[in-house]
Amino acid sequence: MSLFRGLIFSRALTVKNTESLGILQSVARYSDIVHRDDDDTIEIPKYNVERQETLEKRKARLLYQSRKRGMLENDLLLSTFAAKYLNNMNEDQTNLYDRLINLPSNDWDIFYWAAGHKPTPAEYNNEIMDLLKEHVENKNKDVRLRQPDLN
Protein backbone atom coordinates (compact mmCIF):
# COMPACT_ATOMS: atom_id res chain seq x y z
CA MET A 1 0.00 0.00 0.00
CA SER A 2 1.42 3.36 -0.93
CA LEU A 3 1.95 6.02 1.70
CA PHE A 4 -0.69 8.19 0.03
CA ARG A 5 -3.29 5.41 0.08
CA GLY A 6 -2.42 4.55 3.67
CA LEU A 7 -2.83 8.17 4.74
CA ILE A 8 -6.20 8.42 3.00
CA PHE A 9 -7.41 5.23 4.62
CA SER A 10 -6.12 6.03 8.11
CA ARG A 11 -7.63 9.52 7.79
CA ALA A 12 -10.96 7.95 6.85
CA LEU A 13 -10.95 6.08 10.12
CA THR A 14 -10.63 9.28 12.17
CA VAL A 15 -13.00 11.61 10.27
CA LYS A 16 -16.09 12.60 12.29
CA ASN A 17 -18.00 14.22 9.41
CA THR A 18 -19.97 11.47 7.65
CA GLU A 19 -19.86 13.24 4.28
CA SER A 20 -16.06 13.47 4.39
CA LEU A 21 -15.90 9.88 5.57
CA GLY A 22 -17.98 8.77 2.57
CA ILE A 23 -15.70 10.63 0.15
CA LEU A 24 -12.55 9.22 1.71
CA GLN A 25 -14.00 5.71 1.72
CA SER A 26 -14.79 6.04 -1.99
CA VAL A 27 -11.23 7.17 -2.71
CA ALA A 28 -9.90 4.30 -0.60
CA ARG A 29 -12.09 1.81 -2.48
CA TYR A 30 -10.65 2.96 -5.78
CA SER A 31 -7.11 2.91 -4.40
CA ASP A 32 -7.02 -0.89 -4.08
CA ILE A 33 -7.16 -0.79 -0.30
CA VAL A 34 -8.43 -3.94 1.32
CA HIS A 35 -9.52 -3.90 4.92
CA ARG A 36 -11.19 -6.76 6.72
CA ASP A 37 -12.50 -6.17 10.22
CA ASP A 38 -11.97 -9.79 11.15
CA ASP A 39 -8.29 -9.85 10.14
CA ASP A 40 -6.10 -6.75 10.34
CA THR A 41 -2.84 -8.50 9.43
CA ILE A 42 -1.34 -8.94 6.01
CA GLU A 43 0.38 -12.25 5.44
CA ILE A 44 3.86 -12.16 3.94
CA PRO A 45 3.97 -14.33 0.82
CA LYS A 46 5.91 -17.56 1.24
CA TYR A 47 9.33 -17.61 -0.40
CA ASN A 48 9.76 -20.20 -3.14
CA VAL A 49 12.94 -22.04 -2.18
CA GLU A 50 12.61 -24.48 -5.07
CA ARG A 51 13.30 -21.96 -7.85
CA GLN A 52 14.46 -23.44 -11.12
CA GLU A 53 17.63 -21.47 -11.87
CA THR A 54 21.23 -22.25 -12.58
CA LEU A 55 23.78 -22.06 -9.78
CA GLU A 56 25.41 -19.06 -11.47
CA LYS A 57 22.08 -17.21 -11.69
CA ARG A 58 21.20 -18.10 -8.09
CA LYS A 59 24.55 -16.74 -6.87
CA ALA A 60 24.03 -13.51 -8.83
CA ARG A 61 20.56 -13.10 -7.28
CA LEU A 62 21.89 -13.83 -3.80
CA LEU A 63 24.71 -11.34 -4.25
CA TYR A 64 22.13 -8.66 -5.10
CA GLN A 65 19.82 -9.71 -2.24
CA SER A 66 22.73 -9.63 0.18
CA ARG A 67 23.31 -5.97 -0.71
CA LYS A 68 19.67 -4.82 -0.58
CA ARG A 69 18.27 -5.96 2.73
CA GLY A 70 16.39 -2.87 3.86
CA MET A 71 18.52 -2.31 6.95
CA LEU A 72 22.05 -0.99 6.79
CA GLU A 73 23.42 -3.43 9.37
CA ASN A 74 22.52 -6.45 7.27
CA ASP A 75 23.44 -4.69 4.01
CA LEU A 76 27.00 -4.36 5.32
CA LEU A 77 27.13 -7.71 7.05
CA LEU A 78 25.66 -9.83 4.24
CA SER A 79 27.23 -7.95 1.32
CA THR A 80 30.71 -8.40 2.75
CA PHE A 81 29.94 -12.03 3.61
CA ALA A 82 28.65 -12.75 0.09
CA ALA A 83 31.62 -11.00 -1.53
CA LYS A 84 34.00 -13.14 0.51
CA TYR A 85 32.30 -16.55 0.43
CA LEU A 86 29.50 -16.83 -2.15
CA ASN A 87 31.62 -17.57 -5.24
CA ASN A 88 33.24 -20.57 -3.54
CA MET A 89 30.02 -22.10 -2.20
CA ASN A 90 28.85 -25.37 -3.69
CA GLU A 91 25.19 -25.91 -4.63
CA ASP A 92 24.14 -27.22 -1.20
CA GLN A 93 25.84 -24.35 0.61
CA THR A 94 24.30 -21.86 -1.81
CA ASN A 95 20.85 -23.32 -1.10
CA LEU A 96 21.46 -23.02 2.65
CA TYR A 97 22.47 -19.38 2.22
CA ASP A 98 19.41 -18.75 0.04
CA ARG A 99 17.15 -20.17 2.75
CA LEU A 100 18.93 -18.21 5.47
CA ILE A 101 18.53 -14.80 3.90
CA ASN A 102 15.09 -15.35 2.32
CA LEU A 103 12.98 -17.52 4.63
CA PRO A 104 13.01 -15.54 7.89
CA SER A 105 10.49 -12.72 7.65
CA ASN A 106 12.46 -10.41 9.93
CA ASP A 107 15.97 -9.28 9.01
CA TRP A 108 16.66 -8.37 12.63
CA ASP A 109 16.43 -12.07 13.46
CA ILE A 110 19.25 -12.83 11.02
CA PHE A 111 21.32 -10.04 12.54
CA TYR A 112 20.72 -11.20 16.14
CA TRP A 113 21.45 -14.86 15.29
CA ALA A 114 24.67 -13.98 13.49
CA ALA A 115 25.80 -11.66 16.29
CA GLY A 116 24.95 -14.26 18.93
CA HIS A 117 22.34 -12.10 20.68
CA LYS A 118 19.61 -14.70 20.12
CA PRO A 119 19.88 -18.47 19.73
CA THR A 120 19.78 -19.64 16.13
CA PRO A 121 16.75 -21.84 15.34
CA ALA A 122 17.65 -25.40 14.40
CA GLU A 123 16.53 -24.98 10.79
CA TYR A 124 19.15 -22.23 10.25
CA ASN A 125 21.87 -23.61 12.50
CA ASN A 126 24.19 -25.04 9.85
CA GLU A 127 27.62 -24.56 8.29
CA ILE A 128 26.59 -21.32 6.56
CA MET A 129 25.35 -19.80 9.82
CA ASP A 130 28.60 -20.87 11.50
CA LEU A 131 30.55 -19.18 8.71
CA LEU A 132 28.39 -16.05 9.03
CA LYS A 133 28.93 -15.95 12.80
CA GLU A 134 32.68 -16.24 12.22
CA HIS A 135 32.42 -13.40 9.70
CA VAL A 136 30.60 -11.25 12.27
CA GLU A 137 33.35 -11.88 14.85
CA ASN A 138 35.75 -10.21 12.40
CA LYS A 139 38.88 -11.61 14.01
CA ASN A 140 41.06 -9.89 11.39
CA LYS A 141 39.49 -6.53 12.28
CA ASP A 142 38.58 -5.81 8.65
CA VAL A 143 37.09 -2.37 8.10
CA ARG A 144 33.54 -2.81 6.80
CA LEU A 145 32.17 0.70 6.50
CA ARG A 146 30.78 0.26 2.99
CA GLN A 147 29.62 -2.48 0.72
CA PRO A 148 32.24 -4.06 -1.49
CA ASP A 149 32.36 -3.02 -5.12
CA LEU A 150 30.63 -5.22 -7.67
CA ASN A 151 32.98 -6.87 -10.14
Side-chain angles (χ1 to χ4, degrees), residues 35-47:
H35 178 73
R36 296 175 32 201
D37 292 331
D38 60 330
D39 184 11
D40 59 353
T41 60
I42 297 173
E43 186 174 325
I44 296 173
K46 300 292 183 209
Y47 178 72

PDB file of all heavy atoms in Angstrom, residues 35-47:
ATOM      1  N   HIS A  35      -9.491  -3.880   3.459  1.00  0.00           N
ATOM      2  CA  HIS A  35      -9.524  -3.901   4.916  1.00  0.00           C
ATOM      3  C   HIS A  35     -10.616  -4.863   5.350  1.00  0.00           C
ATOM      4  O   HIS A  35     -11.757  -4.739   4.927  1.00  0.00           O
ATOM      5  CB  HIS A  35      -9.797  -2.515   5.487  1.00  0.00           C
ATOM      6  CG  HIS A  35      -9.882  -2.515   6.978  1.00  0.00           C
ATOM      7  ND1 HIS A  35      -8.774  -2.660   7.767  1.00  0.00           N
ATOM      8  CD2 HIS A  35     -10.935  -2.427   7.810  1.00  0.00           C
ATOM      9  CE1 HIS A  35      -9.146  -2.639   9.042  1.00  0.00           C
ATOM     10  NE2 HIS A  35     -10.451  -2.499   9.087  1.00  0.00           N
ATOM     11  N   ARG A  36     -10.225  -5.821   6.174  1.00  0.00           N
ATOM     12  CA  ARG A  36     -11.195  -6.762   6.717  1.00  0.00           C
ATOM     13  C   ARG A  36     -11.207  -6.588   8.218  1.00  0.00           C
ATOM     14  O   ARG A  36     -10.172  -6.659   8.867  1.00  0.00           O
ATOM     15  CB  ARG A  36     -10.807  -8.185   6.348  1.00  0.00           C
ATOM     16  CG  ARG A  36     -10.843  -8.421   4.868  1.00  0.00           C
ATOM     17  CD  ARG A  36     -10.351  -9.783   4.462  1.00  0.00           C
ATOM     18  NE  ARG A  36     -10.625 -10.800   5.440  1.00  0.00           N
ATOM     19  CZ  ARG A  36      -9.973 -11.941   5.512  1.00  0.00           C
ATOM     20  NH1 ARG A  36      -9.026 -12.219   4.652  1.00  0.00           N
ATOM     21  NH2 ARG A  36     -10.263 -12.830   6.433  1.00  0.00           N
ATOM     22  N   ASP A  37     -12.395  -6.365   8.779  1.00  0.00           N
ATOM     23  CA  ASP A  37     -12.503  -6.168  10.223  1.00  0.00           C
ATOM     24  C   ASP A  37     -12.088  -7.397  11.016  1.00  0.00           C
ATOM     25  O   ASP A  37     -11.590  -7.297  12.120  1.00  0.00           O
ATOM     26  CB  ASP A  37     -13.939  -5.781  10.600  1.00  0.00           C
ATOM     27  CG  ASP A  37     -14.298  -4.400  10.087  1.00  0.00           C
ATOM     28  OD1 ASP A  37     -13.382  -3.567   9.953  1.00  0.00           O
ATOM     29  OD2 ASP A  37     -15.485  -4.158   9.808  1.00  0.00           O
ATOM     30  N   ASP A  38     -12.275  -8.579  10.415  1.00  0.00           N
ATOM     31  CA  ASP A  38     -11.967  -9.794  11.152  1.00  0.00           C
ATOM     32  C   ASP A  38     -10.483 -10.159  11.114  1.00  0.00           C
ATOM     33  O   ASP A  38     -10.045 -11.027  11.854  1.00  0.00           O
ATOM     34  CB  ASP A  38     -12.794 -10.963  10.604  1.00  0.00           C
ATOM     35  CG  ASP A  38     -12.520 -11.223   9.132  1.00  0.00           C
ATOM     36  OD1 ASP A  38     -12.187 -10.268   8.413  1.00  0.00           O
ATOM     37  OD2 ASP A  38     -12.643 -12.379   8.705  1.00  0.00           O
ATOM     38  N   ASP A  39      -9.720  -9.519  10.249  1.00  0.00           N
ATOM     39  CA  ASP A  39      -8.285  -9.847  10.143  1.00  0.00           C
ATOM     40  C   ASP A  39      -7.535  -8.596   9.727  1.00  0.00           C
ATOM     41  O   ASP A  39      -7.582  -8.195   8.583  1.00  0.00           O
ATOM     42  CB  ASP A  39      -8.072 -10.962   9.130  1.00  0.00           C
ATOM     43  CG  ASP A  39      -6.620 -11.409   9.047  1.00  0.00           C
ATOM     44  OD1 ASP A  39      -5.824 -11.000   9.906  1.00  0.00           O
ATOM     45  OD2 ASP A  39      -6.296 -12.165   8.121  1.00  0.00           O
ATOM     46  N   ASP A  40      -6.808  -7.989  10.663  1.00  0.00           N
ATOM     47  CA  ASP A  40      -6.104  -6.752  10.344  1.00  0.00           C
ATOM     48  C   ASP A  40      -4.626  -6.977  10.064  1.00  0.00           C
ATOM     49  O   ASP A  40      -3.833  -6.058  10.097  1.00  0.00           O
ATOM     50  CB  ASP A  40      -6.280  -5.721  11.452  1.00  0.00           C
ATOM     51  CG  ASP A  40      -5.762  -6.197  12.796  1.00  0.00           C
ATOM     52  OD1 ASP A  40      -5.383  -7.371  12.895  1.00  0.00           O
ATOM     53  OD2 ASP A  40      -5.747  -5.392  13.738  1.00  0.00           O
ATOM     54  N   THR A  41      -4.230  -8.220   9.781  1.00  0.00           N
ATOM     55  CA  THR A  41      -2.844  -8.500   9.435  1.00  0.00           C
ATOM     56  C   THR A  41      -2.740  -8.867   7.965  1.00  0.00           C
ATOM     57  O   THR A  41      -3.694  -9.381   7.377  1.00  0.00           O
ATOM     58  CB  THR A  41      -2.275  -9.660  10.270  1.00  0.00           C
ATOM     59  OG1 THR A  41      -3.047 -10.834  10.017  1.00  0.00           O
ATOM     60  CG2 THR A  41      -2.302  -9.340  11.752  1.00  0.00           C
ATOM     61  N   ILE A  42      -1.609  -8.575   7.405  1.00  0.00           N
ATOM     62  CA  ILE A  42      -1.341  -8.937   6.015  1.00  0.00           C
ATOM     63  C   ILE A  42      -0.273 -10.016   6.038  1.00  0.00           C
ATOM     64  O   ILE A  42       0.803  -9.824   6.596  1.00  0.00           O
ATOM     65  CB  ILE A  42      -0.859  -7.722   5.210  1.00  0.00           C
ATOM     66  CG1 ILE A  42      -1.950  -6.662   5.176  1.00  0.00           C
ATOM     67  CG2 ILE A  42      -0.457  -8.139   3.801  1.00  0.00           C
ATOM     68  CD1 ILE A  42      -1.524  -5.361   4.547  1.00  0.00           C
ATOM     69  N   GLU A  43      -0.561 -11.138   5.437  1.00  0.00           N
ATOM     70  CA  GLU A  43       0.384 -12.247   5.439  1.00  0.00           C
ATOM     71  C   GLU A  43       1.492 -11.998   4.425  1.00  0.00           C
ATOM     72  O   GLU A  43       1.241 -11.574   3.303  1.00  0.00           O
ATOM     73  CB  GLU A  43      -0.338 -13.547   5.088  1.00  0.00           C
ATOM     74  CG  GLU A  43       0.547 -14.757   5.209  1.00  0.00           C
ATOM     75  CD  GLU A  43      -0.206 -16.054   4.992  1.00  0.00           C
ATOM     76  OE1 GLU A  43      -1.370 -16.125   5.397  1.00  0.00           O
ATOM     77  OE2 GLU A  43       0.386 -16.977   4.415  1.00  0.00           O
ATOM     78  N   ILE A  44       2.711 -12.274   4.840  1.00  0.00           N
ATOM     79  CA  ILE A  44       3.856 -12.157   3.942  1.00  0.00           C
ATOM     80  C   ILE A  44       3.856 -13.381   3.033  1.00  0.00           C
ATOM     81  O   ILE A  44       3.754 -14.512   3.522  1.00  0.00           O
ATOM     82  CB  ILE A  44       5.171 -12.080   4.742  1.00  0.00           C
ATOM     83  CG1 ILE A  44       5.177 -10.810   5.593  1.00  0.00           C
ATOM     84  CG2 ILE A  44       6.381 -12.129   3.811  1.00  0.00           C
ATOM     85  CD1 ILE A  44       6.347 -10.711   6.538  1.00  0.00           C
ATOM     86  N   PRO A  45       3.967 -13.180   1.734  1.00  0.00           N
ATOM     87  CA  PRO A  45       3.971 -14.334   0.824  1.00  0.00           C
ATOM     88  C   PRO A  45       5.128 -15.273   1.143  1.00  0.00           C
ATOM     89  O   PRO A  45       6.209 -14.845   1.517  1.00  0.00           O
ATOM     90  CB  PRO A  45       4.161 -13.708  -0.561  1.00  0.00           C
ATOM     91  CG  PRO A  45       3.846 -12.269  -0.400  1.00  0.00           C
ATOM     92  CD  PRO A  45       4.097 -11.917   1.033  1.00  0.00           C
ATOM     93  N   LYS A  46       4.883 -16.559   0.995  1.00  0.00           N
ATOM     94  CA  LYS A  46       5.912 -17.564   1.245  1.00  0.00           C
ATOM     95  C   LYS A  46       6.969 -17.493   0.146  1.00  0.00           C
ATOM     96  O   LYS A  46       6.666 -17.326  -1.017  1.00  0.00           O
ATOM     97  CB  LYS A  46       5.308 -18.969   1.283  1.00  0.00           C
ATOM     98  CG  LYS A  46       4.257 -19.153   2.354  1.00  0.00           C
ATOM     99  CD  LYS A  46       4.877 -19.103   3.724  1.00  0.00           C
ATOM    100  CE  LYS A  46       3.811 -19.367   4.770  1.00  0.00           C
ATOM    101  NZ  LYS A  46       4.060 -18.738   6.022  1.00  0.00           N
ATOM    102  N   TYR A  47       8.220 -17.634   0.543  1.00  0.00           N
ATOM    103  CA  TYR A  47       9.333 -17.608  -0.400  1.00  0.00           C
ATOM    104  C   TYR A  47       9.447 -18.967  -1.077  1.00  0.00           C
ATOM    105  O   TYR A  47       9.398 -20.010  -0.417  1.00  0.00           O
ATOM    106  CB  TYR A  47      10.640 -17.269   0.336  1.00  0.00           C
ATOM    107  CG  TYR A  47      11.839 -17.279  -0.552  1.00  0.00           C
ATOM    108  CD1 TYR A  47      12.042 -16.270  -1.479  1.00  0.00           C
ATOM    109  CD2 TYR A  47      12.773 -18.302  -0.487  1.00  0.00           C
ATOM    110  CE1 TYR A  47      13.147 -16.275  -2.310  1.00  0.00           C
ATOM    111  CE2 TYR A  47      13.879 -18.318  -1.308  1.00  0.00           C
ATOM    112  CZ  TYR A  47      14.058 -17.294  -2.224  1.00  0.00           C
ATOM    113  OH  TYR A  47      15.146 -17.309  -3.047  1.00  0.00           O
TER     114      TYR A  47
END
